[in-house]
Amino acid sequence: MTGSEREAFGVYVHWPFCLSKCPYCDFNSHVRHAAIDEDRFVRAFAREIETTAARAPGREVTSIFLGGGTPSLMQPATVGAVLDAIGQHWRVASDVEVTLEANPTSVEATRFAGYRAAGVNRVSLGVQALNDSSLKELGRLHSAREALDAVAIARKSFDRYSFDLIYARPDQTPAMWADELKLAIEEAAEHLSLYQLTIEEGTPFFGLHAAGKLKTPDEAMARALYDVTQEVCSAHGLPAYEISNHARQGAECRHNLVYWRGQEYAGIGPGAHGRLDVGGARHATATEKRPEAWLMRVEANGHGVVIDDVLNRDERADEFLLMGLRLKEGIDPERYAALSGRAIDPRRIAVLREEGAIAVDADGRLRVTQAGFPVLDAVVADLAA
Ligand SMILES: C[S@@+](CC[C@H](N)C(=O)[O-])C[C@H]1O[C@@H](n2cnc3c(N)ncnc32)[C@H](O)[C@@H]1O
Ligand code: SF4
């Protein structure tokens, strides 16, 4: 185990509210027209943290991620109270990474100093695009100027920050995307998340797409956009360390690495997922998604967990493969064998190596190559079979 892979334990906290629903988004986010009772949520978060810590005691928290929804709608005092509750029930590493997802509006940027004082040390901004017509098309509430101003405030307030962009948008060409990316890299400094637009079932974009009113790039264009992403980011010192995440060395998001490396994390708040080792078994947990129903469950039972599955050996090993191969560092095949009770089929490894989709490093780690990433799902399915 390398230094960066020391026993990590993450805590994910979900804030499920947004000012409006973006037409592409199927995350657990809700719009409420009445004011949110943040004190009631704080009490419920604290109770669920207490209950979860009793199930998974003695861990040292190495990362906390406040995600959403739009956590930057929370008052800084609410964030501070949630972080305090985590510190009351678990030991927290002195170098803990505490990330908050923020929407880049001017109102939200005014709270950055308060978040920093509350203990947040990294923000991830949902910039999505750097031109106003694309932002409008994506249904965003901010302009490109406002987003860049929020990035500038983030830079002053936090040592570490990142921002998200969505690409493979309607009518986007590789040349346009390359220019946008170069500007993004100048502004982003150390970390960028670059997601290919996915048309999610049940969203307004899904209906528009099905009706032929929203044209997304075809496979060849999507591939060209992906290739430009890798070229421009690598040339500017932000290579991919995960299929959609780019960072300068050492600036990777430690919390997300917990997921991809198959380590343990607690899921707190409505619709949060967790992976906890209890009594020697890996549990996959999920809480009630609806915010008000989650509140009532926590108030009655001390937690909002509605799914608590013990993963069997195959499920655990498949998840390890699926998540780990997203990372450029790949996986340790011996760990896969220890989890599943059988080695990955050497004939399948040989074929995929021959095709150039995977590589085996000198230290034995197995990883997907640049050529293999665009067909990652097929590679994983092949190795897991
Ligand atoms: C759950 S959102 C939360 C961030 C924050 N609320 C915001 O919108 O700025 C996390 C990220 O997922 C990405 N995302 C959400 N839906 C997506 C989709 N359908 N296709 C691609 N990326 C998506 C966006 O880049 C977004 O910033
Ligand atoms: S993309 Fe962000 S702001 Fe938009 S609905 Fe989803 S979580 Fe909310």
Side-chain angles (χ1 to χ4, degrees):
M1 193 172 281
T2 66
S4 58
E5 277 181 279
R6 74 183 155 142
E7 241 5 89
F9 183 75
V11 179
Y12 176 80
V13 180
H14 191 78
W15 184 254
F17 301 111
C18 291
L19 285 183
S20 71
K21 187 84 194 171
C22 304
Y24 53 84
C25 176
D26 81 336
F27 281 82
N28 185 33
S29 62
H30 306 261
V31 178
R32 296 284 178 269
H33 297 294
I36 309 293
D37 184 348
E38 294 196 28
D39 290 341
R40 190 173 168 203
F41 271 92
V42 164
R43 288 192 296 275
F45 282 134
R47 272 203 79 187
E48 194 168 60
I49 288 165
E50 183 181 358
T51 308
T52 311
R55 274 194 98 189
R59 312 300 201 265
E60 183 181 61
V61 177
T62 50
S63 64
I64 299 170
F65 195 100
L66 297 133
T70 307
S72 52
L73 295 175
M74 278 190 263
Q75 295 303 320
T78 302
V79 172
V82 171
L83 298 181
D84 286 350
I86 292 171
Q88 273 163 23
H89 297 287
W90 279 296
R91 211 154 24 95
V92 175
S94 56
D95 61 347
V96 64
E97 173 189 271
V98 184
T99 304
L100 178 128
E101 246 173 13
N103 282 29
T105 73
S106 52
V107 180
E108 289 164 277
T110 61
R111 296 191 198 109
F112 287 178
Y115 294 142
R116 186 195 157 140
V120 172
N121 53 30
R122 182 175 183 275
V123 283
S124 171
L125 292 148
V127 171
Q128 319 307 1
L130 287 172
N131 68 74
D132 289 343
S133 60
S134 296
L135 287 169
K136 198 162 170 219
E137 191 171 46
L138 291 171
R140 301 293 291 181
L141 298 178
H142 53 87
S143 64
R145 183 69 266 154
E146 203 177 356
L148 289 177
D149 288 346
V151 169
I153 297 171
R155 188 179 302 127
K156 284 199 205 113
S157 312
F158 300 97
D159 289 340
R160 301 181 61 201
Y161 68 95
S162 170
F163 61 81
D164 298 352
L165 293 177
I166 295 180
Y167 73 100
R169 308 188 298 254
D171 301 324
Q172 196 175 29
T173 65
M176 284 158 60
W177 175 227
D179 287 345
E180 192 174 352
L181 256 184
K182 285 177 201 155
L183 174 58
I185 291 167
E186 270 173 40
E187 296 283 343
E190 63 158 34
H191 191 287
L192 267 180
S193 301
L194 304 169
Y195 300 112
Q196 210 159 335
L197 176 64
T198 316
I199 304 297
E200 304 284 359
E201 216 172 326
T203 61
F205 267 20
F206 189 84
L208 287 171
H209 190 253
K213 292 181 185 153
L214 179 80
K215 296 232 182 316
T216 47
D218 62 17
E219 212 174 298
M221 179 57 87
R223 178 64 199 268
L225 291 163
Y226 173 82
D227 289 345
V228 161
T229 308
Q230 307 315 312
E231 278 158 32
V232 173
C233 288
S234 297
H236 291 81
L238 285 185
Y241 67 99
E242 189 266 350
I243 190 158
S244 304
N245 283 276
H246 298 250
R248 296 199 196 284
Q249 203 174 356
E252 298 86 1
C253 173
R254 290 192 344 230
H255 185 80
N256 287 339
L257 285 174
V258 166
Y259 303 150
W260 297 318
R261 287 179 174 159
Q263 294 165 324
E264 249 192 314
Y265 57 96
I268 304 294
H273 291 253
R275 291 288 181 276
L276 294 178
D277 295 333
V278 184
R282 171 61 57 108
H283 288 242
T285 65
T287 52
E288 163 63 51
K289 286 176 98 169
R290 294 163 301 163
E292 292 74 17
W294 173 82
L295 274 176
M296 288 195 286
R297 276 182 179 270
V298 177
E299 286 163 358
N301 310 321
H303 65 84
V305 173
V306 290
I307 295 173
D308 185 3
D309 293 335
V310 173
L311 298 182
N312 65 30
R313 291 192 95 163
D314 283 345
E315 288 167 337
R316 178 117 202 243
D318 285 352
E319 187 168 275
F320 172 71
L321 202 61
L322 183 74
M323 299 303 277
L325 288 180
R326 298 173 62 113
L327 286 171
K328 193 175 159 202
E329 70 183 22
I331 59 142
D332 176 358
E334 284 178 16
R335 186 158 172 223
Y336 176 88
L339 290 172
S340 75
R342 63 183 168 89
I344 301 173
D345 185 345
R347 285 163 307 178
R348 289 182 190 272
I349 294 181
V351 172
L352 287 168
R353 275 179 92 171
E354 191 123 319
E355 288 170 356
I358 62 168
V360 178
D361 290 337
D363 60 2
R365 289 186 79 86
L366 190 151
R367 59 178 177 79
V368 175
T369 60
Q370 183 90 13
F373 270 120
V375 290
L376 177 63
D377 291 348
V379 172
V380 171
D382 207 3
L383 290 172

